[in-house]
Amino acid sequence: MSHRILVPVKRVIDYAVKIRVAGGKIDTNVKHSMNPFDEIAIEEAVRLKEAKKATEVVTVTVGSTKSQETLRTALAMGADRALHVEVPESAEVQPLEVAKILKAIVAKESPSIVLLGKQAIDDDAGQTGQMLAGLLDWPQATFASKVELNDSALTVTREIDGGLETVKTTLPAILTADLRLNQPRYATLPNIMKAKKKTIEKLSPGDLGVDVTPRIKVLEVSEPPKRQAGKTVGSVDELIDKLKNEAGVI
Amino acid sequence: MSVPRFASLVSRSRAAAAPALRNAARSFSTTNAVRSAGSIPSLHTFTEEEVMLREAVAKFATEVVGPKVREMDENEMMDRSVIDGLFQQGLMGIETPAELNGSGTSFTAAILTVEELAKVDPSVSVMCDVQNTLVNTVFTKYANAEQKEKYLPKLATDTIGCFCLSEAGSGSDAFALQTKADKQGDYYILSGTKMWITNSYEAGIFLVFANVDPSKGYKGITCFIVEKDMGVEIAKKEKKLGIRASSTCALSFDDIKVPASNVLGQIGQGYKYAIEILNEGRIGIAAQMLGLAQGAFDLAVPYTFDRKQFGQAIGDFQGMQHQYAQIAVEIEAARLLTYNAARLKEQGKSFVKEAAMAKLYASQVAERAASKAVEWMGGVAFTRDLLVEKFYRDCKIGAIYEGTSNIQLQTIAKILKTQYAK
């Protein structure tokens, strides 16, 4: 059975960068890289291909020209080809719009599985996979920490609040990758060079018939309050007094 | 009579203008002029692969090499998993073409790799540097097709190589080497000793410079490809001040038989290959020293903003500010010298002076940066609990190997003379 896996990836501010807010906006003139959960998704898809469970890994991103470097990283990790849905750098594309674009890509590519990261570390929305499942009316297994693929079914262990849950879905299906699914590989130099020859197909949201106008408006962005030093108190009465009259929490 | 005087004035000025115009034409035809300034990128411009490689190596260095650095230094031994990792990442055959199992990337990519590795461990960096900028390059430039096909794939995938030139009696005066190679039928019998050979403990392939005809002086020096099982003996593994995980050994060749087909390049041309290769290897060492300086700086400076004395972060005292600003300037200067030399070499332009300048300066900056880093971190930096003391020990070799600082100065001076002496 030939299975094609579609892995959407997102270019985000690198996880190690200290985020600064300047003039009500986040300073984006910093290092960017692939969303860590998307790296895990690519790694899982490539492993399935190497285990001969899947035949092709196709990666896609919705972003500006700069997102091309994210696609190249995915290709260097082992994806076979890439699709770049290009939008202007100033554009803000939100989860529902991304899900609609992915639905159009799914119609074009007919994958058996769409494997996404569980959330992006910039907006922490954690919605795209679920919305896509809804739009496509496909089963979904989210927060996956273990994936087994047979000819026609997926057995997935999910990390949930109470522990682990195992689900089985038919194909095609949506999967979202959680942290402990795998440890992504380093892109070796020969693979980085091979990635140069792999194709990146360019598309626009218009080509796919999707309107990417944002429907949610961000009202305010601010840094969390700076951590204050603690104070030692002499008695329980003093503690209650401070909680009531200084901190105003009781 | 003003007209003749005027005419002679005009003819004199035309005569004066003519050489100037001629010189202008000549200089325009030999400069590297481009169409417009807008098209010239800064030295901090890289290809996509170079950027991706730098990030991949930085990640590999931090996650795979990083945890082992102290252990390797204490044991004076390179960890096998680090060596395997370098091969698996394709970092031991960076410029080797893909048909020969290499990574087929640029010289600058090799330089960036050496730099990123040195930020974490200069010992690992020099192993990778010698393999790429010395051993692989000798094969690529001077070996015949069979030798390239036989050895380059091995060097790219699983065998470490080393460059055996120096001896007890010949360091800077490399051509005074004594190792002999006597032709006997289809073989050469090699006898002699080498000293200070980097990578030699782990190496399987040795590029040995030996003299086939001492009566010809340095014009008898020939480069031989020697495999470990031809009988190379490790006479002594040195215990060193720094880069302790990098093996440095004295080797001995006790009448070992090397096939005549293992002569690399032409007989008697070995001295030329050695000089040319060391010119390129210099840029690699500059990159190693650059990475070392940056690694020490990156360890120490954040600490100065955490450490508070007299009610403030020590990094906010003006005396400290001036010191780390100065070092940052010098690191940037060393970086530009190194990258520029790398790009000149890539473009096939003359780079010998620039390479010598890069190595000289980077090794000096590394020493100053590492020394200051220890001071900035204070008492705790003096213990082996932190890695900053290791950078201080590691930096000293930069002024010594692949051409001492005095040799670099001489190289630069000789070139300056050709430019300035009439």
Side-chain angles (χ1 to χ4, degrees), chain A residues 189 192-193 196, chain B residues 47-54 105 109:
Chain A
L189 180 50
I192 292 174
M193 296 307 289
K196 273 174 76 169
Chain B
T47 66
E48 220 174 61
E49 307 84 71
E50 286 165 354
V51 171
M52 284 176 71
L53 175 60
R54 193 206 262 277
T105 326

Side-chain angles (χ1 to χ4, degrees), chain A residues 7-10 12 15 33-45 77 115-126 143-144 159 175-182 184:
Chain A
V7 185
V9 296
K10 187 180 183 188
V12 297
Y15 77 91
S33 35
M34 190 191 294
N35 182 36
F37 295 107
D38 299 348
E39 271 183 19
I40 295 174
I42 290 276
E43 174 67 24
E44 195 64 20
M77 283 176 72
L115 177 45
L116 307 93
K118 73 170 179 180
Q119 67 195 63
I121 60 170
D122 49 9
D123 58 18
D124 277 343
F143 315 119
E159 293 201 352
L175 279 177
T176 74
D178 209 326
L179 188 63
R180 277 161 284 278
L181 178 57
N182 61 48

Side-chain angles (χ1 to χ4, degrees), chain B residues 1-74:
Chain B
M1 301 290 278
S2 60
V3 172
R5 230 184 295 149
F6 179 69
S8 73
L9 271 174
V10 168
S11 67
R12 211 182 306 138
S13 70
R14 207 182 293 140
L21 278 172
R22 242 186 290 135
N23 283 337
R26 212 180 290 141
S27 68
F28 273 124
S29 67
T30 57
T31 55
N32 303 317
V34 296
R35 288 256 153 222
S36 83
S39 62
I40 307 174
S42 82
L43 282 167
H44 289 292
T45 312
F46 303 99
T47 66
E48 220 174 61
E49 307 84 71
E50 286 165 354
V51 171
M52 284 176 71
L53 175 60
R54 193 206 262 277
E55 286 181 14
V57 175
K59 207 165 156 203
F60 171 80
T62 313
E63 294 175 13
V64 176
V65 180
K68 299 240 155 67
V69 174
R70 177 53 76 189
E71 182 191 313
M72 296 196 292
D73 187 69
E74 297 283 323

Side-chain angles (χ1 to χ4, degrees), chain B residues 33-213:
Chain B
V34 296
R35 288 256 153 222
S36 83
S39 62
I40 307 174
S42 82
L43 282 167
H44 289 292
T45 312
F46 303 99
T47 66
E48 220 174 61
E49 307 84 71
E50 286 165 354
V51 171
M52 284 176 71
L53 175 60
R54 193 206 262 277
E55 286 181 14
V57 175
K59 207 165 156 203
F60 171 80
T62 313
E63 294 175 13
V64 176
V65 180
K68 299 240 155 67
V69 174
R70 177 53 76 189
E71 182 191 313
M72 296 196 292
D73 187 69
E74 297 283 323
N75 295 340
E76 301 191 75
M77 183 70 78
M78 194 74 72
D79 190 286
R80 194 69 233 179
S81 69
V82 167
I83 300 176
D84 290 342
L86 286 173
F87 279 113
Q88 278 155 26
Q89 294 298 114
L91 301 176
M92 297 294 253
I94 294 177
E95 291 178 86
T96 303
E99 309 83 71
L100 294 171
N101 295 350
S103 305
T105 326
S106 65
F107 179 70
T108 300
I111 293 304
L112 295 177
T113 301
V114 169
E115 183 192 346
E116 288 301 321
L117 287 170
K119 285 182 189 171
V120 172
D121 191 348
S123 303
V124 176
S125 175
V126 76
M127 166 173 272
C128 183
D129 173 66
V130 164
Q131 184 92 347
N132 281 288
T133 68
L134 292 183
V135 180
N136 285 348
T137 311
V138 169
F139 277 94
T140 308
K141 283 179 86 156
Y142 310 116
N144 61 39
E146 292 85 59
Q147 290 165 340
K148 283 185 203 180
E149 260 182 60
K150 182 170 182 197
Y151 292 106
L152 281 173
K154 281 193 201 157
L155 289 165
T157 48
D158 57 28
T159 311
I160 293 180
C162 62
F163 188 83
C164 310
L165 179 65
S166 296
E167 297 178 6
S170 57
S172 294
D173 189 5
F175 296 166
L177 64 87
Q178 298 282 296
T179 300
K180 284 199 336 277
D182 286 320
K183 186 112 196 284
Q184 281 181 23
D186 287 332
Y187 288 89
Y188 281 86
I189 307 297
L190 255 62
S191 62
T193 58
K194 293 290 180 188
M195 275 194 93
W196 317 129
I197 309 303
T198 302
N199 286 358
S200 50
Y201 192 75
E202 293 88 3
I205 294 172
F206 300 74
L207 287 173
V208 181
F209 290 83
N211 203 321
V212 300
D213 188 353

Side-chain angles (χ1 to χ4, degrees), chain B residues 120-375:
Chain B
V120 172
D121 191 348
S123 303
V124 176
S125 175
V126 76
M127 166 173 272
C128 183
D129 173 66
V130 164
Q131 184 92 347
N132 281 288
T133 68
L134 292 183
V135 180
N136 285 348
T137 311
V138 169
F139 277 94
T140 308
K141 283 179 86 156
Y142 310 116
N144 61 39
E146 292 85 59
Q147 290 165 340
K148 283 185 203 180
E149 260 182 60
K150 182 170 182 197
Y151 292 106
L152 281 173
K154 281 193 201 157
L155 289 165
T157 48
D158 57 28
T159 311
I160 293 180
C162 62
F163 188 83
C164 310
L165 179 65
S166 296
E167 297 178 6
S170 57
S172 294
D173 189 5
F175 296 166
L177 64 87
Q178 298 282 296
T179 300
K180 284 199 336 277
D182 286 320
K183 186 112 196 284
Q184 281 181 23
D186 287 332
Y187 288 89
Y188 281 86
I189 307 297
L190 255 62
S191 62
T193 58
K194 293 290 180 188
M195 275 194 93
W196 317 129
I197 309 303
T198 302
N199 286 358
S200 50
Y201 192 75
E202 293 88 3
I205 294 172
F206 300 74
L207 287 173
V208 181
F209 290 83
N211 203 321
V212 300
D213 188 353
S215 73
K216 290 207 175 100
Y218 66 87
K219 296 209 175 140
I221 297 178
T222 304
C223 182
F224 292 88
I225 305 168
V226 180
E227 295 179 44
K228 181 82 187 272
D229 53 23
M230 288 174 186
V232 180
E233 276 164 46
I234 313 264
K236 180 188 183 201
K237 186 166 186 268
E238 304 289 350
K239 291 182 155 113
K240 304 194 298 292
L241 166 66
I243 56 166
R244 288 159 46 127
S246 159
S247 64
T248 309
C249 303
L251 304 174
S252 89
F253 313 106
D254 195 4
D255 291 339
I256 64 172
K257 276 167 80 167
V258 178
S261 56
N262 274 27
V263 167
L264 196 152
Q266 296 185 351
I267 296 181
Q269 291 286 288
Y271 73 95
K272 213 153 82 143
Y273 305 153
I275 297 229
E276 284 174 11
I277 284 305
L278 285 171
N279 280 331
E280 304 186 9
R282 246 144 237 188
I283 307 176
I285 298 298
Q288 182 208 22
M289 289 294 124
L290 173 59
L292 191 161
Q294 192 67 62
F297 191 86
D298 291 348
L299 263 186
V301 173
Y303 175 86
T304 68
F305 296 117
D306 275 339
R307 171 75 172 174
K308 288 190 168 57
Q309 292 284 271
F310 308 109
Q312 70 181 75
I314 61 174
D316 286 337
F317 285 110
Q318 195 177 54
M320 290 289 289
Q321 287 176 327
H322 287 188
Q323 287 182 19
Y324 55 74
Q326 178 68 37
I327 295 290
V329 170
E330 294 179 19
I331 295 177
E332 178 72 0
R335 172 160 290 126
L336 297 176
L337 279 170
T338 308
Y339 291 174
N340 195 44
R343 292 300 189 196
L344 284 170
K345 176 194 167 321
E346 252 174 26
Q347 284 156 23
K349 305 235 165 83
S350 137
F351 67 91
V352 175
K353 181 178 77 168
E354 289 78 5
M357 288 175 160
K359 196 254 184 193
L360 172 76
Y361 192 66
S363 59
Q364 291 169 346
V365 169
E367 192 174 325
R368 288 198 283 274
S371 176
K372 278 296 172 205
V374 173
E375 283 182 29

Side-chain angles (χ1 to χ4, degrees), chain A residues 44-102:
Chain A
E44 195 64 20
V46 172
R47 285 189 191 185
L48 285 168
K49 193 179 81 160
E50 286 169 349
K52 308 237 193 294
K53 297 282 173 79
T55 38
E56 196 188 21
V57 175
V58 180
T59 183
V60 58
T61 198
V62 180
S64 70
T65 341
K66 291 186 182 166
S67 293
Q68 227 194 121
E69 60 192 40
T70 314
L71 289 176
R72 289 258 173 248
T73 308
L75 292 171
M77 283 176 72
D80 297 296
R81 58 188 168 84
L83 301 160
H84 185 184
V85 181
E86 207 168 335
V87 294
E89 200 171 335
S90 53
E92 198 204 320
V93 189
Q94 294 172 343
L96 181 57
E97 285 66 45
V98 173
K100 288 179 181 172
I101 290 175
L102 290 178

